[in-house]
Amino acid sequence: MTDNRTGGIPHQPSSGLTPPKSVAGTYGVPLTGPEHAPGWLKGSTGFGDNGHRGAFGEEFIRMLATAADLDVSRRERDRVGVDWQLGYTGRAGTRRFPAIEAQVKCTSSPDIHGEHIHYPLKVKNYNLLAGRDYEIPRFLFLVLAPTDPFAWAHANHDRMLLRRAAYWMCLHDHDLLEDVPKTGTRTVHVPRANLLTVDSLHDLFAEDYRNMLVVS
């Protein structure tokens, strides 16, 4: 997976926030900023925690979907393992106004094995994605983010760069885990070839994924 530091963007001047020294230089991001963090950061207990990372992953997907001109909506109550529902007007000669659903996960410690990313998914979440008994195709979206939250976004006068990348996986051809404790995990192998882009997001609305479902 390529990672050209800032993608050719000149280094951004200090924002006044100092990344933790323990993660300085992660993914090639140098330690920048003043020696002392501002007061609001010192008083924060949530900057860079799992909740923050999860929120970044979800917004990463929403930004990408918006760039793809898709309608993006969030369920008010997440009881079925869906973070985003994406809507599409449809191509000429295809089903009109199709939709897909996505469960979004974000990690800063990807376990990469060749052409796959191994990700431990909770059994409960796995079962909410696996199988064919759905009205709408659903996917796992896995976002990889740098360890250092200060490296997640880089903005200048020309563009904003979000790091690093997102990948998709469909589990409709996987069996549900019926006799496995819900507190356990099942490792899924997300193909690195399944890079999420504007074009590949559109491809997920293909009839192929609806045809895998019980309801077609």
Side-chain angles (χ1 to χ4, degrees), residues 82-157:
V82 171
D83 293 305
W84 293 119
Q85 184 175 101
L86 309 182
Y88 177 49
T89 56
R91 295 188 177 97
T94 64
R95 183 187 299 269
R96 297 181 64 192
F97 311 114
I100 62 173
E101 295 178 329
Q103 183 179 132
V104 182
K105 297 299 180 184
C106 185
T107 180
S108 293
S109 53
D111 185 12
I112 299 176
H113 294 258
E115 296 305 312
H116 291 82
I117 305 165
H118 293 190
Y119 184 78
L121 196 62
K122 291 181 179 179
V123 168
K124 176 183 177 181
N125 292 343
Y126 181 96
N127 283 340
L128 290 172
L129 291 168
R132 303 171 182 269
D133 194 17
Y134 298 103
E135 292 277 355
I136 299 175
R138 53 177 53 193
F139 300 87
L140 171 67
F141 288 171
L142 179 62
V143 179
L144 307 190
T147 303
D148 180 4
F150 288 86
W152 292 350
H154 185 108
N156 65 15
H157 293 289

Side-chain angles (χ1 to χ4, degrees), residues 21-199:
K21 293 185 178 180
S22 61
V23 295
T26 303
Y27 294 125
V29 178
L31 179 65
T32 60
E35 181 178 357
H36 302 289
W40 67 263
L41 181 55
K42 291 179 181 179
S44 172
T45 58
F47 189 79
D49 63 10
N50 288 337
H52 183 199
R53 184 176 298 104
F56 172 78
E58 291 186 24
E59 295 307 319
F60 188 105
I61 296 300
R62 178 158 70 171
M63 183 76 73
L64 189 60
T66 301
D69 197 22
L70 301 175
D71 294 326
V72 188
S73 60
R74 185 196 301 272
R75 286 182 178 268
E76 291 295 329
R77 300 175 65 188
D78 180 13
R79 298 186 294 176
V80 293
V82 171
D83 293 305
W84 293 119
Q85 184 175 101
L86 309 182
Y88 177 49
T89 56
R91 295 188 177 97
T94 64
R95 183 187 299 269
R96 297 181 64 192
F97 311 114
I100 62 173
E101 295 178 329
Q103 183 179 132
V104 182
K105 297 299 180 184
C106 185
T107 180
S108 293
S109 53
D111 185 12
I112 299 176
H113 294 258
E115 296 305 312
H116 291 82
I117 305 165
H118 293 190
Y119 184 78
L121 196 62
K122 291 181 179 179
V123 168
K124 176 183 177 181
N125 292 343
Y126 181 96
N127 283 340
L128 290 172
L129 291 168
R132 303 171 182 269
D133 194 17
Y134 298 103
E135 292 277 355
I136 299 175
R138 53 177 53 193
F139 300 87
L140 171 67
F141 288 171
L142 179 62
V143 179
L144 307 190
T147 303
D148 180 4
F150 288 86
W152 292 350
H154 185 108
N156 65 15
H157 293 289
D158 295 321
R159 68 177 111 172
M160 172 177 280
L161 174 69
L162 300 180
R163 302 177 70 220
R164 306 171 65 194
Y167 302 84
W168 64 270
M169 182 178 188
C170 178
L171 297 176
H172 292 326
D173 59 349
H174 290 56
D175 294 329
L176 274 68
L177 304 177
E178 301 286 0
D179 301 320
V180 180
K182 292 183 178 180
T183 55
T185 62
R186 169 60 61 92
T187 298
V188 295
H189 302 162
V190 183
R192 294 176 67 194
N194 291 0
L195 179 69
L196 271 178
T197 66
V198 168
D199 288 335

